[in-house]
Amino acid sequence: MTDSPAAAAARPPGREKDRPWVMRTYAGHSTAEASNALYRTNLAKGQTGLSVAFDLPTQTGYDPDSPLSRGEVGKVGVPVPHLGEMRKLFRDIPLTEMNTSMTINATAMWLLAMYQVVAEEQNPGLAPDEVAHLLAGTTQNDIIKEYLSRGTYVFGPQQSLRLISDMIAYTVHEIPKWNPINICSYHLQEAGATPVQELAYALCTAIAVLDQVRSSGQVSDEDFEKVVGRISFFVNAGVRFVEETCKMRAFVRLWDEITRERYGVTDPKMRRFRYGVQVNSLGLTEAQPENNVQRIVLEMLGVTLSKDARARAVQLPAWNEALGLPRPWDQQWSLRFQQVLAFESDLLEYDDIFAGSHVIEAKVAELVEGARAEIDRVQAMGGAIAAVESGYMKQNLVSAHAARRARIESGEEVVVGVNRFQTTEPSPLTADLDAAIQTADPEAERAALASLEAWKAERDEAEVATALAALAEAAKTGTNLMQPTLAAARAGATTGEWAGTLREVFGEFRAPTGVSGAVGVAEAGAELAAVRERVRATGEELGGRLRVLVGKPGLDGHSNGAEQVAVRARDAGFEVIYQGIRLTPDQIVAAAVAEDVHLVGLSILSGSHMELVPDVLDGLAAAGLDDVPVIVGGIIPGSDAKALVERGVAAVYTPKDFGLTEIMDGFVDVIRKANDLD
């Protein structure tokens, strides 16, 4: 891009503009073909990198024909069950010229292998190792935050660390321009982390990964600096942009300190804190969603204004993500935010504008001190893995999130349009709510099933079996699993077969929920006290304490809302049954029968509510519990909410219903109505 003469004349003499950050939009939905068309359109609009969203079956290692995949295929991202779909996803996009970020964790090794094979197929004139050396991008590959906040883990911590370590060792030699792990603090903030917790837990994760790589013996001392230099981070930026700016500067300072003192890295370039950012989706509101535009812009400023701590890549959510799936136009609007800042403003013409600020320096020092203390606590208990397995970090996040929710409910923390300034003019943006979001293709699941069937019919089954057997044998030893994974991809194995093979060797894992030990509402207040009395009195009328089952059906691992409901229900006097994420409707029904509950609450944020909720209702009816009321919470469009109520759901709650104590009061209303007590 060439500056105009006027722009060049206005610039300070002798000063060149910095290169802007990589600009991405997080995208992928329905089918590989539809996602490919979206990527090519976004690139034509000036996007400079790709950020791929995969659907939940792909993220958790299931094929579309798995019972757990029902209702989830193509909902929150693109399904990629085999190499053929990966080919379609990147058709006419030259991978050796692209910078691609893949938000994938438990199955990161598998998706990277398929990406590499597609790049090889695009470049038949080059040797595979030559192609690999040209690839640039990032796999998120941070499993620890999955145990804490996002929920798309598969294997236990030790086995997951092994997969990460194997990928890092492979890429440092074979794909040197690839970031094999993107330490992700983004979802920690979504789960309630304070800036200090976000800093500390992300850096503890990095320490755990680097210690594992160093002790694995797969990387020489000479190459270890390269490993450190390829570690990148993926952070969250909230609306408190001064604090967020200071948090990023604190990250820079702490990372330089850790890499220099703990790992002896002498090259300043290898110690550089490299990060990408997705600004905060947690703070986007369903109420007056047009306010999300200014929130997103403020959050973008927190990671771009400070040159010394500027993001390397930025992807912004769309204004309507609290309502549902953004349309291409909505994503374009968010891309234009970045382009206006980078190309119209003079931001990139100056050195760090915060240098020498006493306010900024004081806040950075405060965050650094707090993060160091929390890092020391985690390391003293054995590091990040021990802190996951004990539930320490998860419990702290649930407690911090509960405190934040309480501040919003009390009005101490203002959310414009939600708990203050609710009066509003009708918005033309949401005049037609069904048209204000994009609907996932209802045929996506059928198309994925057909694709899977056709793929299996055309492949060499003996070759696949041999490759998967070799993968299993390698998993039982200390062999690096990347080469057997590449062999399985080339042979035509599926995502579910790769993950299933490793499940048989490694087993599966269920992370602590953090609910039982979480600190809820310290002071009840008059409203919660009144609800407690209603819970007690209704329980007496029904002959015992009121019991509520909070269930997470399907593959949706976003458990923050369910956890907060469970904690507040406990504080309100209910007996709460919460078994964590990733349950089938049959398992939820079985728990309702076993616990003899008075209410079933389902939390679904992946868009699979129209498939999974009826399955639970039918299961309860078949078990003779059709008199037990069911309520549903999640990102649910109004038309779907109406259909669910018509189907038999007692109440539907969406993000606009932020008052947890009011929701608890609603629980009592539903129970009393179901039992003819009023």
Side-chain angles (χ1 to χ4, degrees):
M1 179 177 175
T2 304
D3 286 337
S4 69
R11 187 176 307 136
R15 189 181 300 282
E16 292 296 322
K17 290 190 75 168
D18 291 337
R19 289 177 58 189
W21 50 91
V22 175
M23 299 182 190
R24 296 187 172 117
T25 51
Y26 182 50
H29 67 90
S30 300
T31 65
E33 293 94 335
S35 298
N36 172 264
L38 180 61
Y39 297 159
R40 288 188 284 110
T41 299
N42 285 346
L43 290 169
K45 291 175 179 175
Q47 185 174 300
T48 52
L50 293 178
S51 181
V52 182
F54 297 99
D55 74 351
L56 288 173
T58 304
Q59 291 185 51
T60 51
Y62 293 103
D63 287 334
D65 58 356
S66 168
L68 276 167
S69 297
R70 172 167 161 70
E72 306 283 16
V73 177
K75 286 286 174 62
V76 300
V78 58
V80 185
H82 55 75
L83 184 61
E85 293 300 306
M86 187 66 102
R87 290 170 183 155
K88 295 175 188 175
L89 186 63
F90 293 109
R91 183 168 292 157
D92 299 324
I93 298 175
L95 297 187
T96 53
E97 301 171 19
M98 190 53 52
N99 188 306
T100 303
S101 172
M102 294 192 283
T103 302
I104 196 73
N105 296 284
T107 57
M109 179 180 284
W110 175 246
L111 272 297
L112 177 60
M114 288 198 289
Y115 185 88
Q116 180 179 332
V117 173
V118 169
E120 293 169 3
E121 293 174 347
Q122 289 183 352
N123 296 274
L126 297 177
D129 61 331
E130 292 177 298
V131 174
H133 275 66
L134 295 173
L135 298 180
T138 302
T139 33
Q140 190 167 97
N141 204 21
D142 173 5
I143 207 67
I144 289 179
K145 63 90 178 173
E146 296 299 320
Y147 302 132
L148 296 175
S149 53
R150 180 59 185 82
T152 64
Y153 56 82
V154 175
F155 314 111
Q158 293 298 338
Q159 293 84 0
S160 297
L161 266 188
R162 178 200 170 169
L163 289 170
I164 293 169
S165 177
D166 283 357
M167 274 186 67
I168 291 173
Y170 173 80
T171 55
V172 76
H173 298 302
E174 303 299 332
I175 318 182
K177 292 194 289 184
W178 196 268
N179 301 320
I181 185 170
N182 208 207
I183 307 294
C184 181
S185 73
Y186 175 85
H187 289 99
L188 300 182
Q189 187 180 120
E190 297 277 275
T194 65
V196 164
Q197 289 170 333
E198 187 179 343
L199 285 162
Y201 297 163
L203 292 170
C204 284
T205 296
I207 290 169
V209 168
L210 288 175
D211 284 356
Q212 172 74 16
V213 172
R214 187 165 58 178
S215 64
S216 73
Q218 297 189 74
V219 177
S220 67
D221 291 342
E222 293 75 20
D223 285 334
F224 190 73
E225 277 204 354
K226 298 177 186 175
V227 170
V228 175
R230 296 315 305 177
I231 300 289
S232 62
F233 289 76
F234 186 68
V235 306
N236 202 329
V239 76
R240 293 169 58 83
F241 84 94
V242 174
E243 187 172 62
E244 295 297 313
T245 297
C246 294
K247 181 185 76 182
M248 299 321 308
R249 293 169 74 93
F251 257 131
V252 169
R253 188 173 301 178
L254 286 163
W255 184 241
D256 184 79
E257 181 181 293
I258 289 167
T259 54
R260 184 180 65 253
E261 296 179 4
R262 186 180 182 96
Y263 299 110
V265 178
T266 57
D267 185 347
K269 291 183 179 179
M270 296 295 103
R271 297 200 307 265
R272 187 176 297 155
F273 183 77
R274 299 179 309 115
Y275 77 98
V277 64
Q278 157 89 17
V279 307
N280 190 303
S281 293
L282 175 70
L284 302 183
T285 63
E286 179 185 11
Q288 299 180 27
E290 62 275 9
N291 294 336
N292 294 330
V293 174
Q294 49 266 36
R295 291 186 180 107
I296 293 167
V297 171
L298 280 171
E299 291 163 353
M300 174 179 62
L301 294 178
V303 294
T304 54
L305 287 183
S306 175
K307 179 178 179 179
D308 293 345
R310 183 171 293 148
R312 294 291 190 89
V314 177
Q315 60 190 43
L316 303 179
W319 68 277
N320 55 350
E321 285 195 19
L323 304 176
L325 186 68
R327 301 158 299 185
W329 183 85
D330 306 313
Q331 292 193 323
Q332 174 185 297
W333 195 4
S334 289
L335 175 63
R336 297 295 186 242
F337 297 163
Q338 299 194 57
Q339 291 169 329
V340 169
L341 179 63
F343 299 115
E344 290 192 29
S345 85
D346 58 352
L347 173 67
L348 298 180
E349 298 171 16
Y350 292 92
D351 290 333
D352 197 294
I353 61 176
F354 296 113
S357 166
H358 299 301
V359 172
I360 295 291
E361 278 305 307
K363 186 62 179 179
V364 171
E366 175 192 322
L367 293 174
V368 166
E369 182 181 0
R372 277 202 200 108
E374 185 64 11
I375 290 169
D376 288 345
R377 276 190 286 274
V378 172
Q379 295 308 117
M381 65 178 63
I385 295 299
V388 165
E389 293 174 335
S390 70
Y392 171 78
M393 288 198 287
K394 179 66 173 178
Q395 183 175 302
N396 284 355
L397 292 177
V398 174
S399 297
H401 199 180
R404 178 179 181 272
R405 291 296 301 251
R407 291 195 301 273
I408 293 173
E409 288 184 71
S410 70
E412 178 186 348
E413 185 170 323
V414 174
V415 182
V416 173
V418 174
N419 64 357
R420 198 168 174 186
F421 311 117
Q422 292 107 320
T423 302
T424 181
E425 296 296 324
S427 169
L429 291 175
T430 56
D432 183 350
L433 278 173
D434 289 334
I437 56 173
Q438 180 162 312
T439 303
D441 185 354
E443 292 297 306
E445 187 165 342
R446 184 202 58 77
L449 288 168
S451 170
L452 181 67
E453 183 179 359
W455 179 259
K456 288 184 175 181
E458 295 174 2
R459 68 186 186 176
D460 185 328
E461 291 295 335
E463 186 179 354
V464 172
T466 299
L468 292 176
L471 174 67
E473 284 305 307
K476 295 172 186 175
T477 69
T479 304
N480 188 299
L481 291 175
M482 195 67 205
Q483 289 295 352
T485 294
L486 281 162
R490 293 184 178 113
T494 68
T495 297
E497 289 169 340
W498 177 85
T501 298
L502 294 182
R503 278 186 175 96
E504 291 179 6
V505 179
F506 293 157
E508 292 194 73
F509 180 75
R510 290 195 72 80
T513 67
V515 167
S516 61
V519 177
V521 181
E523 298 295 332
E527 290 183 3
L528 184 55
V531 173
R532 282 179 179 171
E533 176 55 28
R534 291 193 73 206
V535 170
R536 184 200 62 76
T538 302
E540 282 190 1
E541 289 181 69
L542 293 176
R545 190 177 176 192
L546 294 186
R547 292 176 299 283
V548 173
L549 171 65
V550 178
K552 289 284 298 175
L555 296 176
D556 171 30
H558 279 110
S559 59
N560 304 331
E563 289 157 1
Q564 293 308 309
V565 167
V567 170
R568 186 61 60 86
R570 181 200 66 194
D571 291 349
F574 291 100
E575 180 181 338
V576 179
I577 296 93
Y578 176 60
Q579 299 171 327
I581 63 171
R582 217 179 301 166
L583 300 173
T584 65
D586 287 347
Q587 288 172 319
I588 290 173
V589 170
V593 171
E595 300 291 346
D596 190 22
V597 299
H598 297 94
L599 176 74
V600 173
L602 303 177
S603 170
I604 305 174
L605 284 86
S606 64
S608 59
H609 46 269
M610 294 307 295
E611 294 85 4
L612 297 178
V613 174
D615 285 354
V616 173
L617 291 170
D618 292 343
L620 289 170
L625 296 182
D626 50 348
D627 58 337
V628 173
V630 174
I631 60 101
V632 182
I635 299 175
I636 301 173
S639 57
D640 285 358
K642 181 180 178 182
L644 289 174
V645 171
E646 291 173 352
R647 185 64 171 76
V649 168
V652 176
Y653 295 99
T654 65
K656 71 178 183 300
D657 303 302
F658 70 94
L660 286 176
T661 298
E662 292 177 22
I663 291 173
M664 295 305 110
D665 205 30
F667 281 15
V668 180
D669 290 339
V670 166
I671 291 171
R672 293 187 68 84
K673 181 178 179 181
N675 289 276
D676 298 320
L677 295 181
D678 291 326

